Every structure is written in structure tokens, then in C-alpha cells.
Amino acid sequence: NKIKVLFMDSGNSYLTEHVTKIIKANKNNKELFFFHPLSYGKFKNSFAVPNNELLTDYVSSADLIIARPGFNTITSILKQSKPVIYIIDLENPELYWNIHELQSLGLCHSTTLKNLENNFTTIIQNKLEMHSRNNIHNEIRSRFKFDGEKLIAEKIKSYLC
């Protein structure tokens, strides 16, 4: 059974250069399969997500997500209780803060792009070995609410009553 890795990049293509090298270096690795934006190109052992589709729609299909920690990405991954490695971007304080907060809750791991490129196989194997889907799932469900429409309806009802 192949390990399915989803790479989620931002609009500025921050991950593109390093991730493309990772995919090319692992194109013959029969244990891995990659999902990535079409803008990375088309490679053996991967699926290029078309530009008219959302990467977040592939979170449920992946065994591991590697991404920048923007709000929509974090929400999609938490909702699916998927193991994730976020990429550290010291140039963006908001993203660095997001990583720090999620790590303090035990909900993610992080690395630099260079470290990911140089130690890819080891990093993903260690992450998957450490990840217990049930523990993460229970932790996420106890800390976060994903039924926003229900919460809003209850709040409106409380104002009306």
C-alpha cells in the first residue's frame, strides 16, 4: 500500500522548487504517491491536481499532508484529522505563529524546506510512525467545533429569546 502525500502550496508557490525536487527524486519510489498542484508539472507516481480543483478536496485521500499553515489549510486538515507537516517560513510571522500554536497542542510537526528536501523519506516515515490517528482525532474533536452553521444558529436563537 502506497503512502499518499499531498503537497499544498500557497498562491505564491513558496514550496514549488523544493517539492518538485522531492517528487523527481522519488519518482521511482514504489512506496509513495504524490498529489500536488498542476503548476509543479506532471510526474510519474503522482497526480497533478487541475487548476480548477481545490487542493483541500484531496485532504481526505491523503495519508500525510505537507503544507504552509494558512487558515483554510489548517481548518481542512484538522477537520479530517490528518497528520501534517507544516513548512516553516520565518518571513511570515502569522504562519510561524500558526505552527507554534498547533505544535503546542500536539497537532502538527514542522520543518524547513531544505530539511524536508534533504531528509524527505526519514521525515515522513517518522511522522507517520508517531501519528496515531485516533489520538489526534479525539484531541481535535475535543478542542475544535466544525459545525459553524449550528453554532451560529444557536447564537441567533439566544439573541432572539
Side-chain angles (χ1 to χ4, degrees), residues 147-161:
D147 52 354
E149 66 282 348
K150 189 175 182 181
L151 293 171
I152 291 170
E154 289 174 7
K155 191 74 158 173
I156 291 169
K157 280 171 58 177
S158 74
Y159 288 135
L160 296 174
C161 297

Side-chain angles (χ1 to χ4, degrees), residues 45-96:
N45 212 27
S46 76
F47 176 75
V49 177
N51 294 331
N52 63 342
E53 294 183 23
L54 299 173
L55 291 168
T56 54
D57 291 342
Y58 290 85
V59 169
S60 63
S61 301
D63 298 312
L64 174 67
I65 317 304
I66 298 173
R68 290 188 72 213
F71 175 76
N72 290 331
T73 300
I74 290 169
T75 304
S76 297
I77 294 168
L78 286 174
K79 188 170 183 177
Q80 294 290 329
S81 304
K82 292 292 182 165
V84 62
I85 299 170
Y86 287 118
I87 301 302
I88 298 169
D89 178 2
L90 296 176
E91 301 295 317
N92 192 323
E94 175 191 342
L95 299 183
Y96 188 69

Side-chain angles (χ1 to χ4, degrees), residues 2-157:
K2 292 185 179 194
I3 298 168
K4 295 172 282 208
V5 179
L6 171 61
F7 291 105
M8 297 180 71
D9 209 341
S10 63
N12 70 0
S13 303
Y14 181 76
L15 308 179
T16 304
E17 179 185 340
H18 294 279
V19 169
T20 301
K21 288 178 185 177
I22 290 168
I23 294 170
K24 286 179 181 177
N26 287 280
K27 68 182 176 192
N28 294 318
N29 187 332
K30 297 191 183 323
E31 295 178 7
L32 298 172
F33 186 82
F34 303 106
F35 296 91
H36 57 81
L38 178 60
S39 61
Y40 289 10
K42 293 186 178 181
F43 306 96
K44 182 180 174 182
N45 212 27
S46 76
F47 176 75
V49 177
N51 294 331
N52 63 342
E53 294 183 23
L54 299 173
L55 291 168
T56 54
D57 291 342
Y58 290 85
V59 169
S60 63
S61 301
D63 298 312
L64 174 67
I65 317 304
I66 298 173
R68 290 188 72 213
F71 175 76
N72 290 331
T73 300
I74 290 169
T75 304
S76 297
I77 294 168
L78 286 174
K79 188 170 183 177
Q80 294 290 329
S81 304
K82 292 292 182 165
V84 62
I85 299 170
Y86 287 118
I87 301 302
I88 298 169
D89 178 2
L90 296 176
E91 301 295 317
N92 192 323
E94 175 191 342
L95 299 183
Y96 188 69
W97 186 87
N98 290 348
I99 291 172
H100 173 72
E101 291 300 307
L102 290 166
Q103 282 181 320
S104 72
L105 298 170
L107 298 176
C108 78
H109 288 89
S110 64
T111 190
T112 63
L113 276 171
K114 196 65 176 166
N115 188 43
L116 183 70
E117 183 181 335
N118 291 336
N119 303 293
F120 181 73
T121 305
T122 302
I123 289 171
I124 65 167
Q125 286 173 342
N126 288 344
K127 173 60 182 168
L128 290 171
E129 285 172 11
M130 291 171 37
H131 178 79
S132 167
R133 192 176 191 327
N134 289 337
N135 289 343
I136 291 288
H137 180 76
N138 292 337
E139 185 69 23
I140 289 169
R141 294 294 176 248
S142 72
R143 292 182 183 270
F144 302 99
K145 303 275 187 228
F146 291 105
D147 52 354
E149 66 282 348
K150 189 175 182 181
L151 293 171
I152 291 170
E154 289 174 7
K155 191 74 158 173
I156 291 169
K157 280 171 58 177

